[in-house]
Amino acid sequence: MNGQLDLSGKLIIKAQLGDDIRRIPIHNEDITYDELVLMMQRVFRGKLQSNDEVTIKYKDEDDDLITIFDSSDLSFAIQCSRILKLTLFVNGQPRPLESSQVKYLRRELIELRNKVNNLLDSLEPPTEPGLPSRARQPTATNLIL
C-alpha cells in the first residue's frame, strides 16, 4: 500500500465560502438538501450560522453556477459530476465581509465623500463681501455626511 486513500468512484464535494475552499469525500450519495446544508454549517463553523440564509450553487460542465434549490436539484448535480464544486452564498452575498475589508471599504467611502465635497465646494458661487462663506444657505456640500 502506498498510504493513499482510494477515492475512485466516490463523490467529492469541493465547497467554497469566500476564499475558503474545503474538500469533502462523501460516502453516501443519497444525501438530501437539508443534510447538505447542515454539513456546510459544520464544515464552515464560525463563518456560517444556522440562521443565515444560504444559497448553494454548483458549477456545471459549462462553468455556469446552477442553484441547488432542493434534493432533486442536488441529485441531478451529483449525477453530472463525481467532483461537485459548490459555491455558497450567505444572505445574498458570496461571502461574509472580513473586518479588514469593512475597514478598507469605509476608508474608500470616506475618501470618495471628501472628493465629492471638494468638487461641490469648487462649484459654489463666490460669497458676498462681508459674509463668511458658511453663513450662506446650506449647500449640498453641507448636507453630505
Side-chain angles (χ1 to χ4, degrees):
M1 260 190 150
N2 62 5
Q4 290 187 342
L5 292 173
D6 179 18
L7 296 177
S8 59
K10 290 213 166 86
L11 174 65
I12 302 291
I13 292 180
K14 288 177 73 176
Q16 178 175 359
L17 179 62
D19 58 0
D20 189 0
I21 301 174
R22 307 287 177 96
R23 184 180 179 100
I24 311 148
I26 301 297
H27 303 287
N28 179 9
E29 294 179 24
D30 295 330
I31 184 172
T32 66
Y33 177 79
D34 291 336
E35 291 168 339
L36 178 64
V37 171
L38 288 172
M39 179 190 305
M40 295 300 104
Q41 289 171 346
R42 283 193 307 269
V43 167
F44 292 107
R45 191 172 327 145
K47 294 184 179 184
L48 197 57
Q49 307 302 320
S50 59
N51 60 344
D52 284 333
E53 185 178 316
V54 178
T55 302
I56 301 174
K57 297 187 179 214
Y58 74 95
K59 200 170 270 195
D60 71 358
E61 64 277 358
D62 298 323
D63 278 346
D64 293 324
L65 287 175
I66 309 298
T67 302
I68 298 176
F69 183 73
D70 56 22
S71 293
S72 172
D73 291 340
L74 178 58
S75 293
F76 183 77
I78 289 171
Q79 290 172 8
C80 290
S81 176
R82 302 309 302 156
I83 297 178
L84 191 57
K85 296 179 180 179
L86 302 179
T87 302
L88 280 67
F89 294 83
V90 180
N91 301 321
Q93 300 295 320
R95 63 186 156 88
L97 289 177
E98 301 293 330
S99 63
S100 62
Q101 292 171 308
V102 171
K103 288 177 185 176
Y104 171 77
L105 287 174
R106 181 172 171 72
R107 277 195 312 268
E108 289 291 310
L109 288 170
I110 288 171
E111 186 176 322
L112 182 61
R113 178 193 65 194
N114 291 341
K115 287 179 182 179
V116 168
N117 283 343
N118 288 335
L119 181 60
L120 287 170
D121 285 342
S122 71
L123 297 175
E124 286 184 9
T127 61
E128 294 180 28
L131 283 179
S133 62
R134 295 294 174 199
R136 292 174 285 134
Q137 296 236 344
T139 63
T141 303
N142 297 338
L143 299 177
I144 294 178
L145 299 176

